Amino acid sequence: MGKHAARQDFEWVYDDQPHTTRRREILAKYPEIKSLMGPDPHLKWIVSGMVLAQLVACYLVQHLSWKWVIFWAYAFGGCINHSLTLAIHDISHNVAFGNKQARWNRWFAIFANLPIGLPYSASFKKYHIDHHRYLGGDGLDVDVPTDAEGWFFCTPLRKLLWLFLQPLFYALRPLVVNPKPVSSLEALNAVVQFVVDFVLFYLWGLKPIVYLIAGSILCMGLHPISGHFVAEHYMFLKGHETYSYYGPLNLITFNVGYHMEHHDFPSIPGSKLPLVKKIAAEFYDTLPQHTSWIHVLWDFVFDDSIGPYARIKRQYKVVKQD
């Protein structure tokens, strides 16, 4: 468990991300894919049902013993909360109400955030745009680990710890890599979230709050669903920086596994990404893909060629706004 990872730095490249070129080629051959762009009319109802389910669960856990609160947080509630973070991911691309109703999308993301227990949606939105626009961009894409993470989390045991602490790094990394001023929407997100947390605490005590927050932290850390964090952009094969997964866990993660398709067409809802794969199959079938998120986590921990440094990075010439 003490063997060090072989990589000592990121994989630096000097060309543009592949999604821009592939998007252009696919649209030239299959212009009908444009018809898939736009809002998903079912998303708001699915998300509302998930929020309601967690509200009912908060009522039910108030009388459970603490060990069962944590168990159900990991086995059930955290899975819903992780799925809600991926719904927020979709909503950040305006697919709940469409581009013409951007404000409704932002407010609905705050609503979807409620069971997560901590404010998240507004901050995610402003950084996720950079992740698509500047994929792997040094100092711009906060999805890429820091040098300190790559240097320290280089043995199997440390990489296992890194997976467990993923929520912490995703929360704090933007403040180190690319800090941005707090927006009024982020303030609103925080106020609404903490008011709802207080109401739940007032009505049913501390256990529902622990159930929500512990579930979010545990299921975004060392959990099979969290395999997508590593599967999406860690370089399992040299030169390939984005990978798709077409397995059954897509059913509970808004098709986030269709990640090459998503980066090629971020304005297409997750529910329609399988159609992109079907229409333009020859563009995706020959690309490397993952078959199991659990296997991804295993390889990340025990393969010494993979770790936080196994990411492609590039420089972008950008004039930063003050």
Side-chain angles (χ1 to χ4, degrees):
M1 293 291 285
K3 188 176 181 181
H4 283 251
R7 295 197 63 89
Q8 302 297 318
D9 195 4
F10 299 102
E11 183 80 5
W12 289 89
V13 299
Y14 303 95
D15 54 0
D16 194 11
Q17 58 174 290
H19 303 287
T20 306
T21 302
R22 188 161 56 237
R23 180 188 308 119
R24 185 168 54 249
E25 292 174 352
I26 291 175
L27 286 177
K29 188 171 183 179
Y30 300 108
E32 63 269 27
I33 283 181
K34 291 182 180 179
S35 67
L36 301 178
M37 300 175 183
D40 177 356
H42 305 295
L43 181 62
K44 55 183 175 291
W45 304 115
I46 295 172
V47 169
S48 297
M50 295 167 70
V51 173
L52 179 61
Q54 283 293 70
L55 182 62
V56 172
C58 285
Y59 171 77
L60 294 175
V61 302
Q62 63 178 314
H63 300 303
L64 295 180
S65 65
W66 281 108
K67 66 178 181 180
W68 286 110
V69 170
I70 300 300
F71 171 81
W72 287 113
Y74 184 81
F76 177 74
C79 296
I80 293 181
N81 283 2
H82 195 140
S83 186
L84 282 170
T85 67
L86 297 171
I88 290 170
H89 164 258
D90 249 20
I91 297 165
S92 73
H93 293 285
N94 294 334
V95 301
F97 296 94
N99 289 323
K100 293 182 180 180
Q101 301 291 339
R103 185 173 298 179
W104 282 98
N105 286 286
R106 302 291 83 76
W107 291 342
F108 188 63
I110 291 175
F111 171 73
N113 194 147
L114 296 180
I116 296 170
L118 297 170
Y120 156 84
S121 65
S123 297
F124 174 82
K125 163 67 178 178
K126 72 179 184 181
Y127 283 106
H128 190 63
I129 294 173
D130 288 343
H131 172 60
H132 277 268
R133 186 177 297 160
Y134 309 118
L135 182 63
D138 185 37
L140 296 168
D141 184 359
V142 300
D143 188 67
V144 178
T146 61
D147 276 299
E149 291 171 70
W151 169 78
F152 182 78
F153 296 99
C154 58
T155 67
L157 189 60
R158 293 181 189 179
K159 287 191 283 185
L160 191 68
L161 177 63
W162 184 85
L163 290 174
F164 182 77
L165 296 175
Q166 271 193 106
L168 178 66
F169 289 119
Y170 269 93
L172 298 181
R173 192 185 298 139
L175 304 179
V176 175
V177 174
N178 188 16
K180 297 183 178 184
V182 176
S183 68
S184 59
L185 189 65
E186 287 176 287
L188 176 64
N189 188 185
V191 169
V192 171
Q193 184 66 59
F194 291 133
V195 166
V196 170
D197 288 350
F198 176 78
V199 170
L200 291 175
F201 174 77
Y202 179 79
L203 291 175
W204 301 321
L206 182 61
K207 288 178 181 177
I209 305 300
V210 173
Y211 164 79
L212 294 178
I213 296 178
S216 299
I217 294 174
L218 291 172
C219 282
M220 291 182 68
L222 196 58
H223 192 279
I225 299 177
S226 292
H228 78 86
F229 287 125
V230 176
E232 290 165 0
H233 296 294
Y234 284 80
M235 193 178 61
F236 283 74
L237 288 176
K238 186 176 178 64
H240 293 274
E241 62 184 311
T242 307
Y243 301 78
S244 283
Y245 155 82
Y246 302 117
L249 288 178
N250 280 299
L251 295 173
I252 59 172
T253 56
F254 294 91
N255 285 330
V256 74
Y258 287 76
H259 215 67
M260 287 185 291
E261 294 83 351
H262 170 64
H263 271 263
D264 289 350
F265 300 100
S267 58
I268 294 179
S271 61
K272 297 180 181 179
L273 290 176
L275 291 175
V276 175
K277 168 72 162 54
K278 182 178 180 180
I279 293 170
E282 70 271 25
F283 286 90
Y284 298 108
D285 287 347
T286 59
L287 294 175
Q289 58 187 252
H290 293 295
T291 58
S292 167
W293 282 342
I294 295 176
H295 196 269
V296 163
L297 294 176
W298 179 274
D299 284 348
F300 181 84
V301 172
F302 294 106
D303 187 335
D304 64 357
S305 68
I306 305 170
Y309 267 141
R311 290 290 295 259
I312 285 179
K313 290 189 76 172
R314 50 175 61 86
Q315 292 280 357
Y316 285 91
K317 294 181 180 179
V318 181
V319 178
K320 290 191 176 183
Q321 301 287 331
D322 291 332

